[in-house]
Amino acid sequence: MPSKNLSAVHFLPAGAARLTDILFRQLRYDSIEHVIDICYRSCQLLVSAKVNSTLNQFQTSHETPQGVRFSVFHDIKFEELLFDDTRGLLARVSFFCPVHLRSTKVADALGTLEKGMLAALVGLGSNNNQLSTTFFEVHLRESTESMNPRGGNGMRAGAQLSFANPHCEEDVRRIVSYAKSEYHGTFLLVEFPKTLLAGFSHCLKQLQQQINLNTLPFSDYITSPGFSLQPKVIKPPAYSLVENFSFNLNCLKLQDSKNPDDLKLPVYEPDQRISYINLVKNETTLDEGQAEALCDNLTRELAFCQGPPGTGKSFLGSALVRTILASQEPEDKRPIIAVCMTNHALDSFLKDLIDHGVGDVVRLGRNSKENWISKYLLSNSRKSVDRSRKEQFEQTLCHINQQALASAGLKFCEAIGTSNLTWLVVKDHLKSNYPNIYDQFVAMDITESHGHQYRAASQIGGFGYRCWASGSDLDSLNQLSDELYSFLGVDPDSNDVYSPTLNAIQKMLATIQMSARDSMELVGLGNSIWAMSLLERNSLISQWLREINLSIVVEQMTILHLRHQRSVQKKIEMYKDSDKRVLLSKQVIGMTTTACAKNWSLLERVKPHVVICEEAGEVMEAQTLCTLFPSIQHAIFIGDPLQLRPQISQQALSLETEAGQSYRLDESLFERLMYPKYTDCVPIPTSHLTIQRRMHPEIADISRSTLYPYLKDHESTHMHFPVAGMVNRVYWFDHTSPEDQSDTTSAFSKSFSNTFEAEMVSNMVKYLMEQNVYDLGDIAVLTPYNCQLALLTKCLRSFFTIFLTDKDREALIDSGLLSQEELSMSGQRSKINLCDMLKVATIDNFQGEEAKVVIISTVRSNQRGSVGFLKTQNRINVACSRARDGFYIIGNAALMAKTNMWSTIVNLLKSKNNFAVDTLDSYVEFHRFYRNNDEGLLEKVNVPNTTDYTLPGCPSCGGSLRTVKRYSYIFRISQVMLVVDRLLEKLCRQTSLFVEELTSKKQSLALSFGLFQSQINPTPLAAASNKASIRERGNSFAPIEAKIKSLKDGMAALIEREISQLAGVAFAQDAVPYFHFRLMLNSLEFKCRQLTFKEGVKMADFLATLNDPSQHLQALAKGLEKLVGEQSVKIITQMASLIRNCEENHLPRLEVELTLLQAEIYRLSLTAETQSNLNTDECFERVAELCLRFPETAGKFQLDQTTVRKYAQKIGPTTTLYGNHVFEFWESLGKHATGQLVICENSHFFCGLTFDGCPECGKEDFFIAKAKEGSVSTGLW
């Protein structure tokens, strides 16, 4: 790819061709480099899956080595081929749908297989192992529910795909071959995120055509490396050089103007410029900067106007359009081309023109979201243009031909999708091999018709074959009017002018019958197809079906599709003459840059003289060239290169990187000419808007001190209301709280968040809303990062309804930061009006917007000195120029100041006392409690050594600081042990009661087993009562288990979560307290299961001994054994992870208890003839080791482990694990008393009053020893 240095060596000579070639290659690289990368990676995945069978079909999100994310859908099946009126052949495929997209979710998901998105089928042939990639546009996505009738079973979704290049014969033939099983292979459906084919393909095609034409206007200015050190004077527009020409400014005159003369602006000499600018300023509604820009832009054939934020760029554009329209000669009126980068900006510009009286407007492109724009679309404007009879006939004929081919294509798709042999499939075979039969069928086709019956006549071919194949005879042909209506796909009651009447249908049938009789007389009765019986006909059809070559069918389908696409193209060309007349009748033709490239050939016929491009600073130079038609005499570009640049895919080659300085993919034509990158060039003459009407002067000072020293404030900006509840309009809240640590293994590690800033923003918004002055829509929260945007959304949505732009919503879903369900949550308000929605956005997606109050979270705060996205002055400029009344920055000022522009802003705010450091930090002696590591991340909280510590109140209002999360950690950690001690007392007592309840229930069941036996009646009539008795006894431990689970997931989980949140920062890394009460409750929960399983096996053994002629009880016994076996295997697996958890956290007593319990359950699974992969020998070796190492705790299970080992090996009796030592432990646990909580050296909690040492590891630590000596008070940790 060539660099953007126009003086560098190039194979083309300097000029328009060289520039166009460079820009074409750059745009191609930026548009499809990631596509190539994704395709290459997808091929690797496909080949790897075939070789190693390792592809996980549940994983849809992937990433290339270059960091490009994409989606892959697996297990592709060709469901059928369809035919669309415009796109032609469609491939309907189904795929395995990941769980999060099932039901209707795939149909509602943003950014997933959306209409128009680029996709590809990457295939690997089974016969030749040949890789293929076929590109498509998504035509329609289908949910799992829509695929259920085709056997999707709720697990398969679908998509209808249209060919990205519908004229590529190779692509069409390949897909049809695979769809009809001529070839076999494995496919992946690859989706390219945020890639619209139309977004770049039209522009690339147009640039290709322009390279050799050498018709680029203004090439002297655009294609030269730059102006020499002596700048050239830009000439006036060619149309203004005619004698006595002047621009008519009457449309801009003040309503109360006392000057009765017409306001004219001639093409003046340079020394007259100031006087005419003053005249325009005094006599029109324009301010000083707008008057200067108007004069300069009207009198320069290539004009650039820079408009800082809030200076009225759109208003100037409207004034220029109205002036040029009013100045055109009646005999040479041409529409003005109005081009914008986005649909939103285009609609706003057209609305402004319409409001100012420019009513003859037409819009190209249908992607507007505004309802009012529909009447201005080209498709609706066509109705107002008169067409000649010849033109109407030709267009109608072209339309009918396209419809006929589409209908034939649809029928052919249906034909090859069924086992029945249809005319479309068989006719070529008959023509080649059975000409006599073929001629008889063809003779029945109607080849001539008139008027509106032409379409029906053209589609009637094959009706005779269909009647013959279904067994009809010659005499009944004229009675098949209903069948003919069905064959044509026409409703007989339809009012469609193209639908044939009943009289016409009967005439057609008579014609068909007459032709058939003539043919029969010609060939003789013995050779007539109508003389065959139905059996003979079916036999002949079966023979043809065997003879037909599948490759011929594929070829026929391919040819039919290509013929249809040629007819579509012919229809487009046919309408261009009438569309040209529509456009010439309008004053303004509005379109996006994409629509401009797409409709180039049509617009070129109009031969426009003037083009006005809004948002010119956001348009890639390659796209700008597509707006410069050869006939253009006057091009005006309005924008601001100092705001956001064009959006590109290949950020590595942007102006922000060192490598990108030579390529500058995100450089607009505006920026290249206004800010040349080479010292031997001077900027192109540019006008500047100088008076801003958005920001209060205090906010505008930021723009003046950095990028726009000439910027002035309109008098209205001084009247902005002060921000309710705030002393300052502009304020920087400085802090040093570190940014959140990003997961370096994640695909989203390049995005950052800062929890402290998110909470500050959330509370600030709540505070502003409590003033009862603002609507939610008056406030905007901005941030540079998607991760922070997701965090802010989560923080704010509980209180407010959030408004996110479509781009931000898609980015959050695409990156996996928020789900579709999370984004659909609308907070507490039910009505969603824009004024009732809080605007939360990334800075890049808020350009062109404004709000009364803007709060910015800068996010980055680290010791590495990394500023990130906000180092770019364009992005800083946008961020600091959105607010009208109040502007507040929350960020690490010292870090941000490493960038020159931020440094200027920080110094400005400090000089005005609009700057605050964390003054509360010093007041509460923050540095005493918090310690950061070398990366600036929070490492530890040093808590005061007393539970009576109290945070001081706010020095301003005296309020408590406990609700401020930054300081609440100190108070919470100082109090947490006291709270844990009290909660542990309740937990321990409740747990001890559970053990007593388990023991009691076990004894009760043992005593009542005889009663149970007497209740079982081995007769068929007692089946229901037998089941009830078994179910009641089997659920005996369920209530106890439910209570244990409730305590475990409730209070115990709450305590564990609280300690877990504080432990990482509140304790030294070598002594982090570990709260293991949930593990203890797990052991009780599994004990309930073990007793339940044991009772189940006992009941099954009894039932198997009974003599039941109906075999019902034997079936119940087997069912019980199977249930016990299956559940045992699951429990054994679950227990394995808990046992590993015990080992990792030095809990030998609990590890032994769980291991022995696991071995008992394993023995029960053997009884039920279910096999588990548990290695009991290793388990018992581990138990024996722990019993020896920890004799005071685990060692008490020594006798139990011997008994359980024999039982597990089927050489011992049924065991009772809970011996006296176990009951003593649980009984002591229930005697927990507050004020005696200690932590052993392995960080286990226990009560020093009820246990001499740690009941888990048997070791007494420093705290216990000192507590016994009385040198420290109990309860401390």
Side-chain angles (χ1 to χ4, degrees), residues 357 560 616 713 997 1154:
L560 183 57
D713 303 313
E997 198 172 350
L1154 282 170

Side-chain angles (χ1 to χ4, degrees), residues 309 642-645 656 695 699 702-703 705-708 732 782 784 843-844 847 854 856 858 867-882 887 889 896-906:
L642 295 181
Q643 295 188 58
L644 292 183
R645 293 188 173 109
E656 297 180 18
M695 301 170 280
I699 304 173
I702 295 176
S703 297
S705 66
T706 52
L707 300 174
Y708 311 106
W732 187 309
L782 305 183
I843 294 170
D844 288 10
Q847 176 154 327
V854 172
I856 290 183
T858 62
V867 177
F869 280 165
L870 281 181
K871 67 184 178 183
T872 309
Q873 69 173 16
N874 301 66
R875 193 168 282 114
I876 301 172
N877 184 23
V878 172
C880 296
S881 59
R882 303 298 102 195
F887 178 50
I889 306 172
M896 293 292 120
K898 293 181 180 296
T899 300
N900 290 337
M901 188 168 172
W902 278 124
S903 178
T904 302
I905 295 172
V906 169

Side-chain angles (χ1 to χ4, degrees), residues 411 423-424 427 441-442 444-446 456-465 487-488:
K411 289 181 179 179
W423 174 246
L424 289 171
K427 67 176 183 178
F441 284 127
V442 171
M444 290 183 283
D445 289 348
I446 299 175
S458 65
Q459 297 177 15
I460 208 168
F463 180 69
Y465 169 81
F487 181 81
L488 295 174

Side-chain angles (χ1 to χ4, degrees), residues 1201-1254:
Q1201 72 98 7
T1202 303
T1203 306
V1204 173
R1205 175 180 288 204
K1206 291 180 180 179
Y1207 172 63
Q1209 295 172 349
K1210 297 186 178 182
I1211 58 176
T1214 302
T1215 64
T1216 302
L1217 178 60
Y1218 278 6
N1220 290 335
H1221 66 91
V1222 178
F1223 284 108
E1224 288 174 3
F1225 167 78
W1226 291 106
E1227 184 181 2
S1228 298
L1229 195 70
K1231 297 177 180 178
H1232 183 100
T1234 57
Q1236 303 293 328
L1237 184 66
V1238 290
I1239 307 174
C1240 78
E1241 65 182 18
N1242 285 321
S1243 305
H1244 305 143
F1245 295 101
F1246 66 96
C1247 177
L1249 181 66
T1250 53
F1251 293 101
D1252 293 334
C1254 176

Side-chain angles (χ1 to χ4, degrees), residues 227-233 680 682:
F227 288 116
S228 63
L229 293 177
Q230 297 297 323
K232 296 179 182 178
V233 176
D680 59 343
V682 297

Side-chain angles (χ1 to χ4, degrees), residues 421-533:
L421 193 60
T422 64
W423 174 246
L424 289 171
V425 176
V426 77
K427 67 176 183 178
D428 284 348
H429 178 70
L430 297 182
K431 184 177 182 179
S432 301
N433 301 285
Y434 300 88
N436 182 41
I437 295 177
Y438 173 79
D439 291 339
Q440 293 183 63
F441 284 127
V442 171
M444 290 183 283
D445 289 348
I446 299 175
T447 57
E448 295 182 4
S449 188
H450 303 283
H452 294 318
Q453 311 308 326
Y454 176 84
R455 183 170 68 175
S458 65
Q459 297 177 15
I460 208 168
F463 180 69
Y465 169 81
R466 177 174 171 176
C467 295
W468 174 83
S470 62
S472 298
D473 57 36
L474 196 57
D475 295 331
S476 65
L477 277 179
N478 61 351
Q479 303 172 12
L480 302 178
S481 57
D482 289 342
E483 286 77 1
L484 182 53
Y485 269 120
S486 175
F487 181 81
L488 295 174
V490 174
D491 181 2
D493 300 323
S494 172
N495 296 322
D496 186 359
V497 297
Y498 295 113
S499 298
T501 62
L502 179 60
N503 183 47
I505 286 289
Q506 291 174 343
K507 286 183 178 180
M508 291 179 189
L509 288 172
T511 303
I512 293 172
Q513 187 181 45
M514 185 183 301
S515 300
R517 290 187 186 280
D518 292 344
S519 176
M520 186 171 64
E521 291 178 2
L522 185 65
V523 300
L525 182 63
N527 296 323
S528 174
I529 55 176
W530 296 101
M532 296 181 182
S533 66

Side-chain angles (χ1 to χ4, degrees), residues 3-20:
S3 73
K4 213 170 186 179
N5 182 357
L6 300 183
S7 300
V9 176
H10 194 279
F11 69 93
L12 289 173
R18 174 189 289 193
L19 176 64
T20 307

